[in-house]
Protein backbone atom coordinates (compact mmCIF):
# COMPACT_ATOMS: atom_id res chain seq x y z
CA UNK A 1 0.00 0.00 0.00
CA UNK A 2 1.46 3.38 -0.95
CA UNK A 3 0.37 4.99 2.28
CA UNK A 4 2.22 6.71 5.12
CA UNK A 5 1.25 5.56 8.62
CA UNK A 6 1.29 8.27 11.28
CA UNK A 7 0.91 7.14 14.89
CA UNK A 8 0.10 9.67 17.61
CA UNK A 9 2.05 8.69 20.70
CA UNK A 10 2.63 12.08 22.35
CA UNK A 11 0.06 11.90 25.19
CA UNK A 12 0.99 11.81 28.87
CA UNK A 13 -1.26 8.84 29.63
CA UNK A 14 -2.41 10.35 32.92
CA UNK A 15 -5.10 7.74 33.45
CA UNK A 16 -2.42 5.04 33.62
CA UNK A 17 -0.27 6.72 36.26
CA UNK A 18 1.93 5.76 37.99
CA UNK A 19 2.96 3.36 35.18
CA UNK A 20 3.29 6.28 32.75
CA UNK A 21 5.52 8.37 35.03
CA UNK A 22 8.60 6.73 33.50
CA UNK A 23 7.37 5.23 30.22
CA UNK A 24 4.89 6.62 27.68
CA UNK A 25 1.67 4.59 27.48
CA UNK A 26 2.37 2.99 24.06
CA UNK A 27 5.69 1.65 25.43
CA UNK A 28 4.20 -0.19 28.44
CA UNK A 29 4.75 -3.96 28.23
CA UNK A 30 1.51 -5.47 26.94
CA UNK A 31 1.28 -9.18 26.15
CA UNK A 32 5.05 -9.41 26.35
CA UNK A 33 6.20 -6.45 24.18
CA UNK A 34 5.68 -2.67 24.23
CA UNK A 35 2.08 -2.07 23.21
CA UNK A 36 3.11 -0.14 20.10
CA UNK A 37 4.84 -3.24 18.71
CA UNK A 38 1.46 -4.99 18.39
CA UNK A 39 0.10 -2.02 16.44
CA UNK A 40 3.19 -1.83 14.23
CA UNK A 41 2.87 -5.55 13.45
CA UNK A 42 -0.66 -5.00 12.13
CA UNK A 43 0.48 -2.02 10.04
CA UNK A 44 3.29 -4.09 8.52
CA UNK A 45 0.90 -6.98 7.82
CA UNK A 46 -1.30 -4.57 5.85
CA UNK A 47 1.68 -3.78 3.60
CA UNK A 48 2.54 -0.32 4.98
CA UNK A 49 6.26 0.24 5.50
CA UNK A 50 6.79 3.96 6.17
CA UNK A 51 5.74 4.96 9.70
CA UNK A 52 6.06 8.38 11.36
CA UNK A 53 5.69 8.53 15.13
CA UNK A 54 4.30 11.85 16.42
CA UNK A 55 5.98 11.99 19.81
CA UNK A 56 6.13 14.50 22.64
CA UNK A 57 6.06 13.03 26.17
CA UNK A 58 9.21 10.95 26.79
CA UNK A 59 10.00 10.99 23.07
CA UNK A 60 13.42 9.33 23.27
CA UNK A 61 11.97 6.11 24.76
CA UNK A 62 10.45 5.33 21.35
CA UNK A 63 13.53 5.92 19.21
CA UNK A 64 15.80 4.14 21.71
CA UNK A 65 13.68 1.01 21.40
CA UNK A 66 12.53 0.94 17.77
CA UNK A 67 15.42 2.76 16.07
CA UNK A 68 14.94 2.90 12.29
CA UNK A 69 12.34 0.11 12.45
CA UNK A 70 14.30 -2.30 10.25
CA UNK A 71 14.04 -5.11 12.85
CA UNK A 72 10.28 -5.04 12.21
CA UNK A 73 10.58 -4.64 8.44
CA UNK A 74 9.56 -0.98 8.75
CA UNK A 75 11.05 2.41 7.99
CA UNK A 76 10.28 4.46 11.12
CA UNK A 77 10.83 8.21 11.47
CA UNK A 78 10.19 10.38 14.52
CA UNK A 79 8.86 13.89 14.95
CA UNK A 80 9.00 15.50 18.39
CA UNK A 81 6.55 18.18 19.55
CA UNK A 82 8.28 20.37 22.10
CA UNK A 83 4.83 21.26 23.37
CA UNK A 84 2.04 18.73 22.86
CA UNK A 85 -0.13 19.97 19.98
CA UNK A 86 -3.17 17.72 20.46
CA UNK A 87 -4.33 15.13 17.94
CA UNK A 88 -4.79 17.51 14.94
CA UNK A 89 -1.70 19.54 15.74
CA UNK A 90 0.30 16.32 16.09
CA UNK A 91 -0.91 15.11 12.69
CA UNK A 92 -0.09 18.43 10.98
CA UNK A 93 3.31 18.51 12.62
CA UNK A 94 4.56 15.41 10.74
CA UNK A 95 3.68 16.85 7.29
CA UNK A 96 7.32 17.27 6.22
CA UNK A 97 7.95 13.55 6.58
CA UNK A 98 5.10 12.33 4.37
CA UNK A 99 5.99 10.51 1.15
CA UNK A 100 2.62 9.57 -0.37
CA UNK A 101 -0.73 11.17 -1.23
CA UNK A 102 -2.61 9.14 1.36
CA UNK A 103 -1.96 9.07 5.10
CA UNK A 104 -3.35 6.62 7.64
CA UNK A 105 -3.40 8.07 11.16
CA UNK A 106 -3.63 5.97 14.31
CA UNK A 107 -4.15 6.82 17.96
CA UNK A 108 -1.27 4.95 19.55
CA UNK A 109 -3.25 3.26 22.30
CA UNK A 110 -5.90 1.25 20.46
CA UNK A 111 -6.12 -2.52 19.93
CA UNK A 112 -8.14 -3.14 16.82
CA UNK A 113 -8.97 -5.89 14.38
CA UNK A 114 -9.96 -3.47 11.62
CA UNK A 115 -9.05 -4.57 8.10
CA UNK A 116 -6.71 -1.72 7.10
CA UNK A 117 -6.74 -2.72 3.43
CA UNK A 118 -10.55 -2.56 3.35
CA UNK A 119 -10.48 0.80 5.14
CA UNK A 120 -8.08 2.15 2.52
CA UNK A 121 -10.13 0.67 -0.36
CA UNK A 122 -13.28 2.38 0.99
CA UNK A 123 -11.44 5.70 1.16
CA UNK A 124 -10.25 5.41 -2.43
CA UNK A 125 -13.64 4.21 -3.77
CA UNK A 126 -15.39 7.24 -2.22
CA UNK A 127 -12.65 9.67 -3.26
CA UNK A 128 -13.00 10.91 0.32
CA UNK A 129 -11.10 13.75 1.97
CA UNK A 130 -11.12 11.78 5.21
CA UNK A 131 -12.39 8.32 6.08
CA UNK A 132 -12.86 7.46 9.75
CA UNK A 133 -12.83 3.97 11.16
CA UNK A 134 -16.07 3.72 13.13
CA UNK A 135 -16.86 0.86 15.44
CA UNK A 136 -20.23 -0.23 16.84
CA UNK A 137 -20.15 -0.61 20.61
CA UNK A 138 -22.75 -1.96 23.05
CA UNK A 139 -22.71 1.16 25.24
CA UNK A 140 -21.79 4.31 23.27
CA UNK A 141 -22.62 6.79 26.09
CA UNK A 142 -18.99 7.31 27.10
CA UNK A 143 -17.90 8.20 23.56
CA UNK A 144 -18.38 10.81 20.87
CA UNK A 145 -20.67 9.20 18.27
CA UNK A 146 -20.62 9.56 14.49
CA UNK A 147 -23.81 9.21 12.44
CA UNK A 148 -23.53 8.04 8.82
CA UNK A 149 -25.93 7.91 5.85
CA UNK A 150 -26.79 5.14 3.39
CA UNK A 151 -23.52 5.46 1.45
CA UNK A 152 -21.35 5.73 4.54
CA UNK A 153 -21.13 9.54 4.36
CA UNK A 154 -20.71 11.15 7.77
CA UNK A 155 -23.84 13.13 8.70
CA UNK A 156 -22.94 14.40 12.15
CA UNK A 157 -20.35 14.31 14.94
CA UNK A 158 -22.10 14.09 18.29
CA UNK A 159 -20.71 14.87 21.74
CA UNK A 160 -21.10 12.34 24.56
CA UNK A 161 -24.77 12.09 25.60
CA UNK A 162 -26.90 9.85 27.83
CA UNK A 163 -29.08 8.89 24.88
CA UNK A 164 -26.95 8.65 21.72
CA UNK A 165 -28.89 8.18 18.47
CA UNK A 166 -26.23 5.81 17.05
CA UNK A 167 -23.86 3.24 18.54
CA UNK A 168 -21.08 4.07 16.04
CA UNK A 169 -18.07 5.63 17.71
CA UNK A 170 -14.86 7.17 16.41
CA UNK A 171 -12.30 4.35 16.70
CA UNK A 172 -9.20 6.59 16.53
CA UNK A 173 -7.98 5.59 13.06
CA UNK A 174 -8.37 7.87 10.03
CA UNK A 175 -7.35 7.97 6.38
CA UNK A 176 -6.50 11.48 5.11
CA UNK A 177 -5.81 12.88 1.69
CA UNK A 178 -2.43 14.49 2.17
CA UNK A 179 -3.70 17.90 0.96
CA UNK A 180 -6.46 17.81 3.59
CA UNK A 181 -3.91 17.09 6.30
CA UNK A 182 -1.83 20.05 5.07
CA UNK A 183 -4.84 22.34 5.52
CA UNK A 184 -4.82 21.78 9.33
CA UNK A 185 -3.36 24.97 10.86
CA UNK A 186 0.31 24.43 11.78
CA UNK A 187 2.08 25.13 15.07
CA UNK A 188 -0.91 25.32 17.37
CA UNK A 189 -3.02 22.95 19.44
CA UNK A 190 -5.77 21.40 17.29
CA UNK A 191 -8.18 18.57 18.05
CA UNK A 192 -9.23 16.56 14.98
CA UNK A 193 -12.29 15.29 16.79
CA UNK A 194 -13.57 18.69 17.94
CA UNK A 195 -12.25 21.00 15.23
CA UNK A 196 -10.90 19.46 12.01
CA UNK A 197 -13.62 16.88 11.31
CA UNK A 198 -16.66 19.05 12.22
CA UNK A 199 -15.22 21.92 10.12
CA UNK A 200 -14.74 19.67 7.10
CA UNK A 201 -18.33 18.55 7.42
CA UNK A 202 -19.59 22.13 7.68
CA UNK A 203 -17.65 22.99 4.51
CA UNK A 204 -19.39 20.13 2.66
CA UNK A 205 -16.20 18.07 2.23
CA UNK A 206 -16.55 14.34 1.50
CA UNK A 207 -16.03 12.71 4.91
CA UNK A 208 -16.89 9.01 5.15
CA UNK A 209 -17.11 6.36 7.82
CA UNK A 210 -15.89 2.78 7.50
CA UNK A 211 -18.10 0.89 9.91
CA UNK A 212 -17.36 -2.59 11.18
CA UNK A 213 -17.61 -4.69 14.30
CA UNK A 214 -14.26 -6.43 14.76
CA UNK A 215 -12.28 -6.31 18.02
CA UNK A 216 -11.69 -2.80 19.34
CA UNK A 217 -10.43 -1.48 22.66
CA UNK A 218 -8.87 1.81 23.77
CA UNK A 219 -6.24 0.90 26.38
CA UNK A 220 -6.39 4.24 28.19
CA UNK A 221 -7.46 3.01 31.64
CA UNK A 222 -5.98 0.32 33.91
CA UNK A 223 -9.06 -1.89 33.49
CA UNK A 224 -8.87 -1.63 29.68
CA UNK A 225 -5.11 -2.15 29.75
CA UNK A 226 -5.33 -5.49 31.57
CA UNK A 227 -8.22 -6.62 29.39
CA UNK A 228 -6.43 -5.65 26.16
CA UNK A 229 -3.25 -7.42 27.21
CA UNK A 230 -5.16 -10.56 28.21
CA UNK A 231 -7.14 -10.54 24.94
CA UNK A 232 -3.90 -10.33 22.93
CA UNK A 233 -2.49 -13.29 24.89
CA UNK A 234 -5.68 -15.33 24.42
CA UNK A 235 -5.87 -14.53 20.72
CA UNK A 236 -9.16 -12.62 21.00
CA UNK A 237 -7.40 -9.51 19.70
CA UNK A 238 -5.22 -9.73 16.60
CA UNK A 239 -1.45 -9.19 16.62
CA UNK A 240 1.56 -10.53 14.77
CA UNK A 241 3.91 -9.60 17.62
CA UNK A 242 2.99 -12.00 20.42
CA UNK A 243 6.32 -13.41 21.71
CA UNK A 244 4.92 -16.91 22.24
CA UNK A 245 1.94 -19.09 21.37
CA UNK A 246 -1.63 -17.88 21.94
CA UNK A 247 -2.97 -19.38 25.18
CA UNK A 248 -4.28 -18.83 28.67
CA UNK A 249 -1.04 -17.21 29.81
CA UNK A 250 2.19 -15.84 28.37
CA UNK A 251 5.25 -16.62 30.45
CA UNK A 252 8.42 -14.92 29.27
CA UNK A 253 11.88 -16.52 29.54
CA UNK A 254 13.34 -16.53 33.03
CA UNK A 255 9.96 -16.37 34.80
CA UNK A 256 9.38 -19.10 37.36
CA UNK A 257 5.99 -20.40 38.45
CA UNK A 258 5.71 -22.81 41.41
CA UNK A 259 3.96 -26.10 40.58
CA UNK A 260 1.05 -25.38 42.90
CA UNK A 261 0.46 -21.82 41.60
CA UNK A 262 -2.29 -20.93 39.08
CA UNK A 263 -1.60 -18.45 36.28
CA UNK A 264 -4.47 -17.94 33.81
CA UNK A 265 -7.02 -15.61 32.18
CA UNK A 266 -4.53 -14.22 29.66
CA UNK A 267 -1.98 -13.20 32.30
CA UNK A 268 1.49 -12.15 31.15
CA UNK A 269 4.49 -12.80 33.39
CA UNK A 270 7.52 -10.75 32.36
CA UNK A 271 11.14 -11.89 32.44
CA UNK A 272 12.43 -13.15 35.79
CA UNK A 273 9.06 -12.92 37.54
CA UNK A 274 8.57 -15.46 40.34
CA UNK A 275 5.22 -16.84 41.45
CA UNK A 276 5.22 -18.79 44.72
CA UNK A 277 3.33 -21.87 45.89
CA UNK A 278 -0.48 -21.69 45.93
CA UNK A 279 -0.42 -18.16 44.46
CA UNK A 280 -3.12 -17.25 41.93
CA UNK A 281 -2.58 -14.74 39.10
CA UNK A 282 -5.61 -14.07 36.92
CA UNK A 283 -6.03 -11.72 33.90
CA UNK A 284 -3.08 -9.59 35.00
CA UNK A 285 0.08 -8.04 33.62
CA UNK A 286 3.18 -8.64 35.74
CA UNK A 287 6.22 -6.65 34.64
CA UNK A 288 9.75 -8.04 34.72
CA UNK A 289 11.40 -9.05 37.95
CA UNK A 290 8.25 -8.83 40.08
CA UNK A 291 7.69 -11.36 42.85
CA UNK A 292 4.36 -12.86 43.86
CA UNK A 293 4.78 -14.71 47.13
CA UNK A 294 3.18 -17.86 48.50
CA UNK A 295 -0.61 -17.81 48.59
CA UNK A 296 -0.93 -14.28 47.17
CA UNK A 297 -3.82 -13.54 44.82
CA UNK A 298 -3.51 -11.04 41.95
CA UNK A 299 -6.62 -10.41 39.82
CA UNK A 300 -7.11 -7.97 36.89
CA UNK A 301 -4.12 -5.96 38.07
CA UNK A 302 -0.88 -4.53 36.80
CA UNK A 303 2.21 -5.28 38.90
CA UNK A 304 5.17 -3.01 38.12
CA UNK A 305 8.77 -4.09 37.50
CA UNK A 306 10.52 -5.44 40.57
CA UNK A 307 7.43 -5.05 42.79
CA UNK A 308 6.68 -7.62 45.50
CA UNK A 309 3.25 -8.93 46.48
CA UNK A 310 3.72 -10.47 49.91
CA UNK A 311 2.51 -13.87 51.07
CA UNK A 312 -1.26 -14.17 51.22
CA UNK A 313 -1.87 -10.61 50.00
CA UNK A 314 -4.87 -9.94 47.74
CA UNK A 315 -4.49 -7.43 44.91
CA UNK A 316 -7.60 -6.97 42.81
CA UNK A 317 -8.27 -4.31 40.08
CA UNK A 318 -5.17 -2.45 41.27
CA UNK A 319 -2.05 -0.84 39.82
CA UNK A 320 1.16 -1.52 41.73
CA UNK A 321 4.07 0.76 40.81
CA UNK A 322 7.61 -0.44 40.07
CA UNK A 323 9.51 -1.76 43.11
CA UNK A 324 6.55 -1.25 45.46
CA UNK A 325 6.24 -3.73 48.28
CA UNK A 326 2.83 -4.95 49.33
CA UNK A 327 3.20 -6.57 52.72
CA UNK A 328 1.97 -10.05 53.53
CA UNK A 329 -1.75 -10.32 54.11
CA UNK A 330 -2.71 -6.86 52.77
CA UNK A 331 -5.85 -6.45 50.67
CA UNK A 332 -5.85 -3.84 47.89
CA UNK A 333 -8.95 -3.54 45.76
CA UNK A 334 -11.08 -1.56 43.32
CA UNK A 335 -8.94 0.92 41.47
CA UNK A 336 -6.27 1.44 44.12
CA UNK A 337 -2.86 2.61 42.82
CA UNK A 338 0.39 2.23 44.71
CA UNK A 339 3.19 4.63 43.70
CA UNK A 340 6.65 3.28 42.75
CA UNK A 341 8.83 2.22 45.64
CA UNK A 342 6.11 2.60 48.29
CA UNK A 343 6.19 -0.05 51.00
CA UNK A 344 2.97 -1.12 52.64
CA UNK A 345 3.73 -2.99 55.86
CA UNK A 346 2.58 -6.53 56.48
CA UNK A 347 -0.24 -5.33 58.68
CA UNK A 348 -3.15 -7.03 57.01
CA UNK A 349 -4.83 -3.60 56.61
CA UNK A 350 -7.46 -3.43 53.86
CA UNK A 351 -7.25 -0.58 51.36
CA UNK A 352 -9.94 0.05 48.81
CA UNK A 353 -10.53 3.10 46.65
P1 LIG B 1 -4.75 10.39 29.16
O1 LIG B 1 -3.90 11.48 29.73
O2 LIG B 1 -4.89 9.24 30.13
O3 LIG B 1 -6.09 10.85 28.63
O4 LIG B 1 -4.00 9.71 27.91
P2 LIG B 1 -3.35 10.38 26.59
O5 LIG B 1 -2.48 11.49 26.99
O6 LIG B 1 -2.69 9.27 25.83
O7 LIG B 1 -4.59 10.96 25.79
P3 LIG B 1 -5.59 10.20 24.81
O8 LIG B 1 -5.82 8.80 25.30
O9 LIG B 1 -6.77 11.05 24.60
O10 LIG B 1 -4.75 10.18 23.45
C1 LIG B 1 -5.08 9.34 22.36
C2 LIG B 1 -3.80 9.11 21.54
O11 LIG B 1 -3.32 10.35 21.02
C3 LIG B 1 -2.68 8.52 22.37
O12 LIG B 1 -2.01 7.56 21.59
C4 LIG B 1 -1.79 9.71 22.70
O13 LIG B 1 -0.41 9.34 22.83
C5 LIG B 1 -1.99 10.60 21.49
N1 LIG B 1 -1.91 12.03 21.84
C6 LIG B 1 -2.71 12.71 22.70
N2 LIG B 1 -2.36 14.00 22.74
C7 LIG B 1 -1.32 14.16 21.88
C8 LIG B 1 -0.53 15.27 21.48
O14 LIG B 1 -0.70 16.40 21.95
N3 LIG B 1 0.45 15.04 20.55
C9 LIG B 1 0.68 13.80 20.02
N4 LIG B 1 1.65 13.64 19.12
N5 LIG B 1 -0.05 12.72 20.39
C10 LIG B 1 -1.04 12.89 21.29
Amino acid sequence: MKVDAVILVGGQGTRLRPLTLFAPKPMLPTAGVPFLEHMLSRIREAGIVHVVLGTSYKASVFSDYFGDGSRLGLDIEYVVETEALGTGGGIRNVADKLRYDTVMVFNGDVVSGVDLCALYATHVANNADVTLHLVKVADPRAFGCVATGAKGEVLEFLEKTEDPPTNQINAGCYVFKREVLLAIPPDRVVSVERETFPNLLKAGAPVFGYVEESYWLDLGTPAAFVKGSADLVRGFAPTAALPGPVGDSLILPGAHVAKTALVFGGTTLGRDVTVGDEAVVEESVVFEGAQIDTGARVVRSIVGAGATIGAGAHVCDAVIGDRALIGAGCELRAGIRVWPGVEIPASGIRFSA
Side-chain angles (χ1 to χ4, degrees):
M1 242 196 277
K2 287 208 176 302
V3 170
D4 297 291
V6 172
I7 312 181
L8 296 171
V9 292
Q12 300 212 3
T14 52
R15 288 167 295 161
L16 278 177
R17 283 183 188 159
L19 302 170
T20 45
L21 292 175
F22 306 106
K25 176 169 54 178
M27 292 303 285
L28 292 176
T30 316
V33 292
F35 171 72
L36 191 59
E37 199 160 329
H38 294 292
M39 179 175 267
L40 289 169
S41 78
R42 300 256 310 135
I43 289 172
R44 183 68 193 86
E45 266 191 336
I48 301 174
V49 173
H50 183 229
V51 178
V52 187
L53 297 187
T55 66
S56 177
Y57 179 66
K58 302 215 175 286
S60 62
V61 181
F62 295 96
S63 45
D64 289 350
Y65 184 85
F66 290 111
D68 65 2
S70 50
R71 177 178 67 83
L72 304 174
L74 294 167
D75 177 356
I76 301 181
E77 294 190 89
Y78 303 85
V79 176
V80 184
E81 292 155 42
T82 34
E83 272 175 47
L85 293 170
T87 46
I91 295 170
R92 178 63 178 85
N93 198 48
V94 307
D96 289 349
K97 300 282 186 198
L98 301 177
R99 297 179 186 169
Y100 305 111
D101 291 331
T102 310
V103 187
M104 211 176 261
V105 179
F106 300 82
N107 278 359
D109 57 354
V110 170
V111 188
S112 160
V114 64
D115 179 341
L116 296 176
C117 297
L119 170 65
Y120 173 68
T122 305
H123 179 77
V124 172
N126 289 323
N127 192 20
D129 273 6
V130 174
T131 305
L132 293 89
H133 171 211
L134 305 179
V135 67
K136 289 181 188 282
V137 294
D139 183 2
R141 284 174 303 177
F143 303 92
C145 295
V146 184
T148 49
K151 294 183 178 146
E153 72 279 16
V154 171
L155 300 174
E156 204 179 355
F157 291 94
L158 301 138
E159 295 291 327
K160 288 176 200 171
T161 104
E162 266 309 295
D163 193 15
T166 167
N167 65 347
Q168 297 176 177
I169 64 159
N170 173 354
C173 173
Y174 325 107
V175 191
F176 273 82
K177 263 189 192 155
R178 175 196 175 110
E179 71 220 42
V180 175
L181 185 153
L182 293 177
I184 297 173
D187 302 324
R188 72 163 169 89
V189 176
V190 180
S191 157
V192 273
E193 299 88 344
R194 284 188 293 278
E195 191 175 337
T196 311
F197 296 150
N199 284 350
L200 281 169
L201 211 55
K202 258 186 240 154
V207 179
F208 282 80
Y210 173 74
V211 186
E212 47 91 280
E213 292 178 65
S214 65
Y215 187 95
W216 183 85
L217 190 66
D218 169 344
L219 296 199
T221 63
F225 183 84
V226 290
K227 182 174 188 323
S229 181
D231 286 349
L232 287 161
V233 169
R234 291 180 291 202
F236 301 164
T239 174
L242 198 67
V246 162
D248 214 24
S249 63
L250 174 67
I251 298 178
L252 294 192
H256 180 262
V257 181
K259 281 207 173 64
T260 54
L262 272 179
V263 177
F264 65 107
T267 290
T268 298
L269 302 181
R271 288 175 187 275
D272 303 327
V273 165
T274 57
V275 180
D277 280 313
E278 315 273 322
V280 174
V281 190
E282 177 181 357
E283 204 179 342
S284 292
V285 187
V286 184
F287 292 178
E288 68 176 359
Q291 179 183 326
I292 306 203
D293 287 343
T294 305
R297 195 177 172 90
V298 176
V299 181
R300 289 184 304 275
S301 293
I302 309 164
V303 179
T308 300
I309 311 298
H314 283 198
V315 171
C316 193
D317 299 304
V319 179
I320 310 300
D322 294 347
R323 302 174 316 285
L325 190 138
I326 309 305
C330 286
E331 285 195 16
L332 305 183
R333 295 189 183 276
I336 203 118
R337 295 165 195 233
V338 177
W339 245 238
V342 166
E343 297 188 7
I344 299 180
S347 57
I349 291 173
R350 293 181 179 184
F351 295 84
S352 65

